[in-house]
Amino acid sequence: MNNIKVFESISEFQKYRKNLTGTVGFVPTMGALHEGHATLLRRSASENENSILSIYVNPTQFNNPTDLEKYPKTFEADLKLAADCGISAILSPSFSEMYSDNYRFKMSENEFSKILCGAHRPGHFDGVLTIVLKFLNIVQPDNAYFGEKDFQQYQLIKDMCHSFLVNCNIVSEKTVREKSGLAMSSRNKRLSSAGFEKAALIYQMLKSTDSVTDIKKKLTADGFEIDYVEEIKNRRFIAVTLEGIRLIDNVEI
Ligand code: PAF
């Protein structure tokens, strides 16, 4: 394993950050890393002299306590993957460090965050935008990397940085998929093997020429609970629950 540094203290990280020379890339995550994250980490490492990974399961973006509680935690494996991908340091602070104000202040957006996932997960994007802005302030990266699976999240973060004059380039990376087409996600680890196979239908439906109504019918008939199937601008978005696990994906159409 290379000499990867792990920081739990924000002030210790900031001392380290001050001495970095060259560009800094940043990949914010909630851990339970998979090949989708690895693609972001390798890209950051190839495009920047230094790359920082944050691992922080952010409670304010979970509207469902069971989802938060069951979020997979695989720190040792994450550390190894990060080192293999050429990451220089990991930042993994506690709740009290990240929310010293106990979430008194938050970032919110009033348009795009209110539809799709925002309409089904009240407060979710406030939590995401707040934590990402905090991390961008701590890490001060030149480039920050986000996966297209969470397209709404990526777009909102990009727009927030533009609005608040955050001097960081927000980069998106194509969704990494299983052989079946299922988008990689930390939540996939919680599916049974039958569920994992069945979940491939999401991508098939995203790519199909069926109408939104027919897609909903097919997914429901196969045991998926539907949050939404929507076409907005040039993208088709699907969010469903299978075996109690919420899965989202989208493609350009
Ligand atoms: O995409 C995620 O894993 C999270 O929403 C993020 C961007 C790390 C913020 O907690």
Side-chain angles (χ1 to χ4, degrees), residues 12 18 46 128 201 223 253:
E12 286 302 313
K18 260 197 189 137
S46 77
V128 169
L201 187 64
I253 43 175

Side-chain angles (χ1 to χ4, degrees), residues 28-30 37 56 58 61 71 128 131-132 146 150 153 157:
T29 76
M30 300 203 293
H37 294 115
Y56 180 72
N58 175 33
Q61 71 186 75
Y71 205 83
V128 169
I131 201 71
V132 169
F146 296 87
D150 300 302
Q153 164 174 284
I157 291 168

Side-chain angles (χ1 to χ4, degrees), residues 10-248:
I10 294 174
S11 60
E12 286 302 313
F13 174 81
Q14 282 168 324
K15 280 186 214 153
Y16 161 82
R17 172 70 184 90
K18 260 197 189 137
N19 292 320
L20 293 180
T21 51
T23 57
V24 173
F26 176 47
V27 182
T29 76
M30 300 203 293
L33 303 182
H34 49 69
E35 191 48 37
H37 294 115
T39 305
L40 300 176
L41 296 174
R42 283 192 288 264
R43 178 153 176 206
S44 175
S46 77
E47 293 180 354
N48 301 277
E49 267 98 38
N50 312 276
S51 280
I52 312 298
L53 159 70
S54 67
I55 297 182
Y56 180 72
V57 183
N58 175 33
T60 66
Q61 71 186 75
F62 286 84
N63 55 317
N64 175 343
T66 321
D67 194 23
L68 170 61
E69 191 193 312
K70 295 215 167 140
Y71 205 83
K73 290 173 193 70
T74 59
F75 192 80
E76 287 310 312
D78 293 351
L79 187 66
K80 185 172 180 318
L81 183 81
D84 290 348
C85 291
I87 291 302
S88 345
I90 298 179
L91 178 58
S92 183
S94 64
F95 177 83
S96 57
E97 284 237 34
M98 288 312 287
Y99 289 98
S100 57
D101 66 347
N102 217 4
Y103 204 32
R104 185 156 74 96
F105 291 96
K106 66 174 75 158
M107 169 60 69
S108 66
E109 190 270 0
N110 285 320
E111 286 175 26
F112 192 46
S113 69
K114 300 297 175 198
I115 62 170
L116 299 170
C117 284
H120 294 267
R121 302 183 71 190
H124 170 66
F125 285 118
D126 290 1
V128 169
L129 293 176
T130 303
I131 201 71
V132 169
L133 185 60
K134 283 175 191 249
F135 272 118
L136 292 173
N137 284 333
I138 299 166
V139 177
Q140 302 278 318
D142 297 282
N143 301 297
Y145 297 84
F146 296 87
E148 238 176 44
K149 179 181 77 73
D150 300 302
F151 183 84
Q152 192 179 12
Q153 164 174 284
Y154 153 72
Q155 190 64 57
L156 284 164
I157 291 168
K158 197 175 167 68
D159 294 350
M160 170 182 76
C161 288
H162 181 74
S163 282
F164 283 80
L165 307 145
V166 178
N167 197 12
C168 171
N169 186 26
I170 303 298
V171 184
S172 75
E173 178 67 43
K174 291 254 163 298
T175 303
V176 180
R177 300 183 178 282
E178 303 287 350
K179 277 203 191 84
S180 68
L182 173 65
M184 289 201 184
S185 162
S186 305
R187 288 192 172 84
N188 294 351
K189 293 189 171 75
R190 291 174 49 207
L191 290 167
S192 70
S193 53
F196 185 78
E197 244 173 68
K198 192 184 256 193
L201 187 64
I202 301 168
Y203 185 58
Q204 287 163 24
M205 291 295 97
L206 281 172
K207 301 288 279 178
S208 83
T209 52
D210 293 356
S211 68
V212 165
T213 315
D214 285 345
I215 292 173
K216 284 183 181 169
K217 273 189 204 144
K218 283 188 186 167
L219 285 166
T220 308
D222 245 42
F224 292 84
E225 277 167 56
I226 295 175
D227 262 9
Y228 58 78
V229 177
E230 279 190 55
E231 288 172 358
I232 296 176
K233 292 191 184 149
N234 59 341
R235 299 192 93 83
R236 180 180 279 172
F237 297 84
I238 294 183
V240 290
T241 302
L242 182 65
E243 299 180 337
I245 298 148
R246 193 168 185 279
L247 302 169
I248 64 170

